[in-house]
Amino acid sequence: MNPPPQLFGRTDESEILGQLLADSRNGRSAVLVLRGEPGIGKTALLRYLTGEAPGFRVARAVGVESEMELPFAGLHQLCGPMLGRLGSLAEPQRRGLSVAFGLASGDSPDRFLVALGALSLLAETAEEQPLLCVVDDTQWLDQASAQILGFVGRRLLAEPIALVFAARTPAGSPDHLAGLPELRLDGLGQGPARALLATVTSGPLDESVRARIIEETRGNPLALLELGRSLSPAELAGGFALPDTGDLPARIEDRYAARLGELPEEARRLVLLAAADPVGDSALLLRAAQVQGLDIRTARLAVESGLLDIGASVRFRHPLVRSAAYRSAAAEDRRAAHDALAAATDPRADPDRRAWHRAHATAGADEEVARELITSATRALRRGGVAAAAAFRERAVALTPDPAERASRALAAAEAKFAAGDFEATQALLVAAEIGPLDELGQAQVQRMRAQIVFALSRGSDAPPLLLRAAQRLETLDAGLARQTYLEALVAVIYAGRLARGPDARQVALAARSAPLGSEPLGHPQMLLRGLALRLTDGYLAAAPALKQALDRYRAQPPGLDWLCVSFNLVAMDLWDDEAWFELAADQVRLARANGTLSWLPFALDYLAEIHIQAGELSQAAALMLERERIDPGTRAATLPYVPLLLAAWRGEYELVEAAVRGDQRERARAAADRLSGIAEASGSSWARGAAARSRALLASGHAAEDLYGEAIDLLSKTRMATHLARARLSYGEWLRRESRRVDARDQLRPAFDAFASMGVQAFAERARRELQATGEKVRRRGDDARVELTPQEEEIAHLARDGRTNPEIGAQLFIGARTVEWHLRKVFAKLDISSRRGLDEALRHRYRRSEAARRG
Ligand SMILES: Nc1ncnc2c1ncn2[C@@H]1O[C@H](COP(=O)(O)OP(=O)(O)OP(=O)(O)O)[C@@H](O)[C@H]1O
Ligand SMILES: [Mg+2]
């Protein structure tokens, strides 16, 4: 490769990059995204960076502008040279990565697992020598690679790895690099811009002309160079009027197009061939040129004009040259180029690229090519390339000659786009499918997908009636799909927050109740459908037995991660079944982590975090929430429900009793307490019965109150719901104090205060403290204690390490590198004042003992 050209200006940027290298050399991972408009100097800075990195092993990947979406192509480029180390990865990660790269066949690996594999591979490689990864033109990477590299970037911390991306602005959507540290590049300053301009202009330049060029190019280096080169001395001397309108890159591209236009026909066609091949494979170019009967020697002219370079691979001087060559060509010439490239591509070694070129070589419909694309789609999906599969299918639709076939392929493509989260493309394909002819089932499926999009885009009240209509239509066509759609409609109703309210909810539920369930004995999905529908039509008491039965059946199955678990999680919460809730949540998190199921983990984490909150284990909850946030900021909204919202929708009576009692609305309070008692009876769980006893106690007096408080505390002590227990004690203590039984009051208030304080529930702790003071006991505020505070992540890592997990195991569980685990652990040791893992158990317990001692003292 040519030596990097001299870099003008960019002193701040070079310093930042130098620091980044120093950091990663010292074992602190560094991640940076260079962003800026075309030609601003991102690639130049990356070249500077790799030139400044002696001692680093350098890995590269470059995105290429092309409609062709080949799954994991970018990641493969980056990791290709490291694949010798695959063997040292944990088995599921190795398998995931191998399948993604097409090295092995197997079930479509979860994106998460592939990401984890990539992270481990980089970390493993960096063990030997610091690793610098540069990823240029990130905006053109395939979706799968971009998402994974973003994921890796968010997780590096203590590995000797520097990961630097370059991406054009404005950022596309979805922006997989969102949230990573950024460095925005603006134009060069006056001095460097002048110096750069001087390298391409010979002879003196009129000062006003120079000033004008710098102003009009806003210091964009590419624009400076191109204008400086292409203007004749006369133009330079006389000044020129660049039209101020239009964006700079487009104008530069136009200039390249004009220069290409000056080449002889044959050379131009060669450049077009090179531009149509996203790989830059010069042997392929040569073969394709032969197919077209072009004399490869004419390429010399293009090379001499400095527009591209043909060595082992073909390199355009700048991506804008490539886009100029492709875009300025006539459609017919472009097709001819793709045709030649398809003919020159080995159908066995590279069937997908060949299919893609063939697809672009075809002007009209072509069943054979369409079928080839669908084969490629299936292959892409097997490797986990959801977006790529969708792209192949979408293209196949346009090429399918038979209208009925086209419609059904459009439906399949719509499903693929929906799975890839591209709702706009889904809508367009549904329109294409509807043009038909489509059979009745197909039409009903279109209807269902439209409803699902509405649900995915807004969890509001629009979706349930749409899902309902789709379910009804499906009833006679596909009973299983109909049932599933009914269930989705019910879940959508619950989301819309209209539980047992509003005509829609009732309508949906009534219709779902009348849906044929199939023959007895019913499976748990059918029981669930019946129970949920009953819940909405006849209320809690009527539905509880059916729901309990369904939940029991479900729990008897091996845990699974499918959309059914969304509904059963709801049921467990609704039944006040804290054991089931905890068990389902913990199973789901374990399962999702173990097989790296990206789509479910955020949801499972939410669900588990919520029960930890209710159990007063706030630091565990916080650690889970943190993990969830870091999985992928971009995925959650599109995929799954948000538990706290759900919970809020299901709840409502809870706080009501206490608020009403305090607000002197005894009638309302009594009504709410009665409802809660009904629920408790139907649910039968200690949690529900304890909460009901407490709310009745709030309304009672004398012995009755005392008995009820006792019952509440008794029952709640048997549950995980420590916050509820503490609140029962607090209410009881308050009541006792009002009865002037100070000593008894203290016996309740003290544990309540302790519980709230160690949970970190400040408001309630303060209330308990004031009550205790009123009984004459002195209590220090917990904030004064010397309790050792760990961050949520440290807390989680410390507990896992205490439980005997190794660093790689913890890393695999939390999706971070083993060194990053070690880095956190060292901080934990320092905070807890211990020197090894052996001290962890004692120190973690001591932390609480010490604070207890502080309280007593
Ligand atoms: N600071 C600089 N000093 C000297 N030359 C520079 C500087 N920055 C950029 N250049 C030159 O300007 C041209 C355009 O820069 P570069 O290719 O790095 O832009 P880019 O931001 O990568 O654009 P794109 O988004 O299109 O890839 C290159 O020829 C590069 O060598
Ligand atoms: Mg560039």
Side-chain angles (χ1 to χ4, degrees):
M1 210 201 285
N2 303 330
Q6 193 196 344
L7 200 66
F8 292 91
R10 302 292 187 218
T11 41
D12 292 350
E13 289 84 354
S14 324
E15 202 173 303
I16 291 172
L17 293 176
Q19 188 57 47
L20 181 134
L21 288 177
D23 283 349
S24 46
R25 206 177 267 121
N26 293 328
R28 282 213 51 181
S29 319
V31 181
L32 189 67
V33 185
L34 300 177
R35 289 197 196 260
E37 63 175 10
I40 202 69
K42 299 178 293 295
T43 301
L45 262 180
L46 289 183
R47 290 184 78 186
Y48 164 82
L49 175 70
T50 51
E52 291 293 303
F56 275 83
R57 179 189 173 120
V58 181
R60 291 187 176 80
V62 189
V64 183
E65 186 179 18
S66 159
E67 290 166 62
M68 184 177 339
E69 167 92 18
L70 289 178
F72 305 103
L75 189 67
H76 191 255
Q77 251 187 73
L78 191 77
C79 296
M82 308 172 203
L83 288 179
R85 281 167 221 271
L86 260 186
S88 55
L89 268 72
E91 163 57 22
Q93 296 177 33
R94 182 178 68 218
R95 191 163 15 89
L97 214 50
S98 306
V99 173
F101 288 160
L103 304 172
S105 54
D107 286 347
S108 148
D110 190 275
R111 193 60 61 79
F112 217 6
L113 197 58
V114 180
L116 194 53
L119 176 63
S120 305
L121 194 64
L122 298 182
E124 190 69 35
T125 307
E127 281 295 313
E128 201 168 88
Q129 188 184 356
L131 179 65
L132 167 62
C133 301
V134 287
V135 185
D136 200 0
D137 294 325
T138 314
Q139 71 276 359
W140 294 321
L141 283 184
D142 61 283
Q143 295 279 331
S145 298
Q147 190 190 26
I148 283 176
L149 289 171
F151 171 99
V152 169
R154 277 190 291 277
R155 255 158 205 81
L156 291 173
L157 179 67
E159 284 68 28
I161 297 178
L163 175 53
V164 184
F165 299 93
R168 277 189 183 173
T169 45
S173 134
D175 180 8
H176 294 293
L177 304 184
L180 295 177
E182 282 188 5
L183 179 58
R184 296 226 162 219
L185 297 188
D186 291 323
L188 298 179
Q190 279 285 338
R194 278 161 179 264
L196 182 62
L197 188 59
T199 62
V200 285
T201 48
S202 51
L205 205 55
D206 186 87
E207 181 50 40
S208 65
V209 173
R210 182 169 26 221
R212 182 89 196 270
I213 295 179
I214 291 173
E215 188 195 329
E216 287 178 349
T217 56
R218 297 186 302 275
N220 180 305
L222 184 65
L224 285 168
L225 290 171
E226 290 309 324
L227 290 177
R229 278 196 195 106
S230 63
L231 293 173
S232 66
E235 282 173 298
L236 285 170
F240 63 95
L242 279 171
D244 288 73
T245 52
D247 70 316
L248 207 52
R251 276 150 60 196
I252 300 171
E253 194 181 298
D254 286 348
R255 276 183 181 267
Y256 284 138
R259 277 170 63 187
L260 285 161
E262 286 160 14
L263 291 174
E265 157 88 19
E266 210 161 335
R268 230 171 33 226
R269 285 174 65 194
L270 256 167
V271 176
L272 174 59
L273 268 184
D277 162 35
V279 189
D281 174 350
S282 40
L284 176 72
L285 177 64
L286 198 67
R287 288 199 301 276
Q290 271 164 357
V291 173
Q292 288 203 320
L294 297 176
D295 183 352
I296 190 73
R297 278 169 301 182
T298 53
R300 189 177 41 87
L301 293 171
V303 173
E304 274 166 9
S305 71
L307 290 170
L308 80 171
D309 201 10
I310 305 180
S313 59
V314 183
R315 271 171 204 278
F316 282 89
R317 169 146 110 220
H318 193 269
L320 287 172
V321 180
R322 185 167 174 264
S323 48
Y326 193 77
R327 277 199 263 272
S328 67
E332 185 183 340
D333 292 341
R334 279 204 293 248
R335 280 198 295 274
H338 282 293
D339 196 44
L341 285 164
T345 302
D346 182 348
R348 263 158 321 173
D350 226 344
D352 300 336
R353 279 188 218 279
R354 179 165 172 269
W356 194 261
H357 283 306
R358 285 192 74 189
H360 283 80
T362 321
D366 186 326
E367 175 59 22
E368 192 194 323
V369 179
R371 221 176 282 156
E372 233 179 283
L373 286 170
I374 286 175
T375 310
S376 293
T378 314
R379 205 165 20 230
L381 198 62
R382 269 208 301 272
R383 293 171 56 181
V386 188
F392 280 117
R393 284 196 178 274
E394 186 181 34
R395 184 74 195 165
V397 172
L399 296 178
T400 305
D402 177 59
E405 189 64 45
R406 188 165 57 234
S408 90
R409 281 178 185 165
L411 188 58
E415 269 165 16
K417 285 283 182 189
F418 186 73
D422 184 346
F423 299 141
E424 222 167 281
T426 310
Q427 303 270 28
L429 283 160
L430 288 178
V431 171
E434 261 185 335
I435 292 171
L438 212 53
D439 63 8
E440 181 64 19
L441 177 59
Q443 287 174 27
Q445 281 172 306
V446 169
Q447 196 176 338
R448 170 167 186 257
M449 220 179 299
R450 285 238 165 82
Q452 284 180 318
I453 293 176
V454 170
F455 182 54
L457 288 178
S458 82
R459 307 263 187 232
S461 52
D462 302 351
L466 297 175
L467 284 164
L468 175 64
R469 257 172 267 146
Q472 285 168 325
R473 189 163 179 193
L474 280 163
E475 239 176 56
T476 52
L477 303 165
D478 183 333
L481 197 57
R483 273 199 297 275
Q484 185 171 325
T485 314
Y486 273 121
L487 208 43
E488 285 165 358
L490 290 175
V491 171
V493 164
I494 294 164
Y495 264 91
R498 300 177 153 214
L499 184 63
R501 256 170 278 151
D504 299 356
R506 212 180 145 66
Q507 211 181 353
V508 171
L510 280 173
R513 266 183 69 180
S514 63
L517 292 177
S519 55
E520 302 274 345
L522 298 183
H524 59 270
Q526 284 93 323
M527 288 166 115
L528 172 70
L529 177 57
R530 194 170 58 186
L532 273 186
L534 209 59
R535 170 78 168 90
L536 293 173
T537 54
D538 291 25
Y540 190 89
L541 302 188
L547 287 173
K548 261 201 260 185
Q549 202 188 0
L551 182 61
D552 284 348
R553 288 282 181 88
Y554 181 66
R555 286 174 73 190
Q557 311 273 318
L561 291 175
D562 50 31
W563 65 276
L564 259 188
C565 72
V566 178
S567 321
F568 275 111
N569 291 348
L570 268 177
V571 170
M573 293 191 284
D574 195 33
L575 289 173
W576 293 66
D577 189 338
D578 53 322
E579 273 313 314
W581 180 355
F582 185 77
E583 185 190 290
L584 291 180
D587 276 348
Q588 285 161 19
V589 166
R590 198 166 337 106
L591 213 61
R593 276 176 179 159
N595 56 23
T597 313
L598 173 62
S599 43
W600 289 97
L601 190 59
F603 169 72
L605 288 170
D606 265 355
Y607 186 53
L608 186 58
E610 186 60 38
I611 192 165
H612 277 303
I613 291 173
Q614 306 254 346
E617 294 147 355
L618 296 193
S619 59
Q620 261 141 297
L624 295 169
M625 301 296 235
L626 183 77
E627 184 179 343
R628 190 201 69 196
E629 284 309 310
R630 291 175 39 158
I631 287 170
D632 189 340
T635 53
R636 71 158 306 110
T639 51
L640 283 163
Y642 188 54
V643 172
L645 265 182
L646 276 182
L647 200 67
W650 280 105
R651 283 289 130 74
E653 313 263 321
Y654 199 38
E655 307 295 322
L656 203 60
V657 181
E658 185 159 2
V661 170
R662 294 188 149 226
D664 246 1
Q665 296 174 280
R666 298 193 74 81
E667 274 321 299
R668 279 190 68 199
R670 196 167 302 283
D674 285 348
R675 273 197 300 274
L676 198 52
S677 296
I679 286 175
E681 202 173 318
S683 146
S685 79
S686 301
W687 172 23
R689 282 158 55 215
R694 173 174 168 262
S695 62
R696 270 179 291 141
L698 285 169
L699 288 158
S701 55
H703 282 305
E706 185 144 27
D707 288 349
L708 284 167
Y709 276 124
E711 188 184 329
I713 289 168
D714 223 37
L715 285 163
L716 289 170
S717 309
K718 295 181 195 147
T719 71
R720 311 187 151 269
M721 303 323 225
T723 52
H724 300 252
L725 174 63
R727 290 193 58 184
R729 286 196 191 282
L730 176 60
S731 312
Y732 188 24
E734 286 170 343
W735 182 82
L736 285 166
R737 190 186 63 76
R738 284 199 302 274
E739 298 284 305
S740 307
R741 289 162 58 185
R742 290 175 170 219
V743 180
D744 292 340
R746 277 180 210 157
D747 285 348
Q748 298 303 326
L749 293 169
R750 234 182 273 120
F753 169 74
D754 280 351
F756 286 129
S758 74
M759 287 169 196
V761 184
Q762 296 309 341
F764 279 109
E766 185 54 23
R767 200 165 120 189
R769 195 185 65 84
R770 271 193 265 108
E771 284 289 330
L772 264 177
Q773 253 170 351
T775 67
E777 177 155 321
K778 275 213 166 54
V779 203
R780 289 176 37 188
R781 276 199 176 78
R782 218 16 114 65
D784 307 340
D785 286 0
R787 183 174 187 272
V788 181
E789 291 292 346
L790 300 180
T791 67
Q793 182 138 35
E794 287 166 359
E795 193 82 41
E796 193 168 25
I797 289 174
H799 280 91
L800 288 167
R802 181 205 59 191
D803 296 343
R805 311 287 195 86
T806 64
N807 287 358
E809 281 167 1
I810 299 174
Q813 168 148 350
L814 301 182
F815 303 103
I816 50 181
R819 270 175 184 262
T820 296
V821 173
E822 183 59 33
W823 187 82
H824 282 299
L825 262 184
R826 257 185 263 134
K827 292 195 123 180
V828 170
F829 292 172
K831 284 188 183 179
L832 294 176
D833 198 19
I834 53 176
S835 57
S836 77
R837 293 168 170 252
R838 273 197 305 273
L840 267 176
D841 188 29
E842 171 67 16
L844 285 172
R845 274 189 287 141
H846 185 66
R847 213 168 32 139
Y848 297 107
R849 267 224 299 282
R850 191 158 66 191
S851 58
E852 219 167 280
R855 177 179 49 76
R856 292 228 177 82

